[in-house]
Amino acid sequence: MFNTKDNIFMIIITGEFIIGMLGNGYIGLVNWIDWIKKRKISTTDYILTNLAISRMCLISVMVLNGIIMVFYPDVYENNKLMVIIFIFWTLSNYLNIWFATCLNVFYFLKIANFSHPLFLWLKRRIDKEIRWILLGCFAISLLFSLMLVMVLNCNYSVDVIAKHKKNITGISHVSKIPYFNPLTLLNLFAIVPVIVSLISFFLLVKSLRRHTKQIKLHFTDCRDLSTEAHVRVIKIVTSFLFFFFLYYAVFLLMNFSYLMTEEKLAIMMEEIIAILYPLGHSLILIVVNNKLRQASVRVLMCRKIACML
């Protein structure tokens, strides 16, 4: 029987799962319908659709992993199942981080205004090369997933040896530090695309400041389409960075949960917070993106009219 704490966790995590799947599913569905109507898809919509799919996978794996960790911890004694879960988590995790970075860089190239030759070259090439870039992101994510398989298999061998020694010597405690280092270091490679997003963020701010100064010299009104576009993209990148650092801070804490008195409660809280990353950033994308926001308004209006009838 579940206690009150377990029931609350299940309610919250189920709610997050539903909202996350609906939000990301909505992004994919709107772009897919628009693709069917126009028989072509913009670069932005293409990246957003792939990002939404990867986040739906990530949310599903995270929710499944959270339920298993809290309610069925013995399942992790099955090495094959553990490997499968962590492979899917690593693959979807890296995919959504790289795809989000591609979106941030694409917005930066389209909105920012610099005269550097490299910037101008990337600005011209990004639309043509985006499919190859996303394919490269998939290859990198798959590579890290395969590396994870080797790390987990190695850890499993160490675990078997440790258990054998424990049975022989009667040692009652086996350190969990060896399990922390490889997995954590492997997933910390995700900092590479985040650094790219940080660079894009600072360059966007620099571009906005330069543009604002130019506008002030020629016009009394500092608000124009370019300024609004800069501000909108900066909000998107800022929200991504905020949710990402929150997500990875929780991930690191989960590695030390076994040191806490209330280990199960700590895992529950960390899992709830971690799911906010693929959920919250996608909701912000819907609000900031004009097409997605207008489509959501039309859906709400149609629903309101249907209810009135």
Side-chain angles (χ1 to χ4, degrees):
M1 293 294 293
F2 295 158
N3 55 34
T4 304
K5 186 168 54 179
D6 296 336
N7 290 330
I8 293 174
F9 173 75
M10 285 300 299
I11 292 172
I12 295 175
I13 205 172
T14 301
E16 287 183 325
F17 175 78
I18 293 172
I19 295 172
M21 297 300 282
L22 287 176
N24 286 285
Y26 170 79
I27 293 174
L29 182 62
V30 170
N31 290 328
W32 180 74
I33 292 174
D34 192 57
W35 188 1
I36 296 298
K37 288 181 178 179
K38 298 180 180 179
R39 295 187 178 181
K40 63 179 181 179
I41 186 169
S42 66
T43 305
T44 306
D45 293 344
Y46 186 73
I47 300 173
L48 281 171
T49 302
N50 283 279
L51 178 61
I53 294 171
S54 69
R55 284 185 168 167
M56 290 173 72
C57 296
L58 179 61
I59 291 172
S60 299
V61 175
M62 289 174 68
V63 171
L64 176 62
N65 185 56
I67 293 173
I68 291 175
M69 281 196 303
V70 173
F71 299 110
Y72 310 102
D74 294 339
V75 171
Y76 278 93
E77 293 182 4
N78 184 335
N79 184 55
K80 292 183 179 179
L81 181 60
M82 182 182 71
V83 169
I84 292 172
I85 292 174
F86 275 105
I87 285 174
F88 278 104
W89 179 81
T90 303
L91 180 61
S92 57
N93 182 49
Y94 268 97
L95 277 176
N96 96 82
I97 293 172
W98 276 108
F99 288 167
T101 300
C102 289
L103 182 66
N104 295 335
V105 172
F106 175 77
Y107 279 142
F108 159 69
L109 292 174
K110 291 300 180 182
I111 300 300
N113 186 17
F114 293 101
S115 58
H116 194 279
L118 178 60
F119 174 83
L120 296 176
W121 182 81
L122 290 172
K123 192 181 184 74
R124 290 193 302 267
R125 299 288 298 176
I126 187 67
D127 287 305
K128 296 179 181 179
E129 305 297 336
I130 191 61
R131 286 170 175 80
W132 290 106
I133 292 172
L134 294 185
L135 185 61
C137 293
F138 178 79
I140 293 172
S141 303
L142 186 60
L143 175 63
F144 277 102
S145 300
L146 295 176
M147 289 172 62
L148 182 66
V149 174
M150 293 185 288
V151 170
L152 290 176
N153 285 334
C154 179
N155 280 353
Y156 179 70
S157 300
V158 172
D159 185 44
V160 170
I161 295 172
K163 287 181 178 179
H164 178 66
K165 288 183 177 180
K166 176 183 173 181
N167 292 334
I168 295 175
T169 62
I171 297 174
S172 60
H173 174 72
V174 178
S175 174
K176 296 186 181 182
I177 297 299
Y179 303 97
F180 165 76
N181 288 329
L183 291 177
T184 304
L185 291 176
L186 183 62
N187 285 289
L188 283 179
F189 279 110
I191 201 68
V192 174
V194 176
I195 291 174
V196 176
S197 292
L198 277 171
I199 294 172
S200 300
F201 171 77
F202 288 119
L203 289 176
L204 273 168
V205 173
K206 182 179 180 180
S207 176
L208 176 59
R209 287 179 178 176
R210 179 188 297 180
H211 178 74
T212 303
K213 289 179 181 178
Q214 291 176 350
I215 292 296
K216 285 181 178 179
L217 292 174
H218 299 89
F219 301 95
T220 56
D221 186 8
C222 295
R223 300 293 296 179
D224 66 334
L225 292 177
S226 181
T227 303
E228 291 177 357
H230 273 82
V231 173
R232 184 168 62 251
V233 173
I234 288 173
K235 288 179 180 178
I236 292 174
V237 180
T238 303
S239 64
F240 164 73
L241 293 173
F242 169 77
F243 281 112
F244 173 83
F245 285 120
L246 179 66
Y247 171 68
Y248 258 78
V250 170
F251 167 74
L252 292 175
L253 286 174
M254 288 180 73
N255 286 276
F256 292 104
S257 294
Y258 67 91
L259 297 175
M260 302 178 185
T261 306
E262 294 290 337
E263 180 181 353
K264 184 177 179 180
L265 180 61
I267 291 176
M268 287 179 175
M269 293 298 297
E270 290 155 2
E271 195 72 27
I272 290 170
I273 297 172
I275 299 175
L276 291 177
Y277 161 59
L279 185 157
H281 184 243
S282 295
L283 294 180
I284 290 174
L285 287 175
I286 294 174
V287 174
V288 175
N289 187 283
N290 289 327
K291 186 177 75 173
L292 295 174
R293 186 176 64 253
Q294 291 170 5
S296 64
V297 171
R298 288 196 298 268
V299 170
L300 292 174
M301 288 295 294
C302 292
R303 184 177 179 180
K304 185 177 180 180
I305 294 172
C307 292
M308 291 176 64
L309 295 175

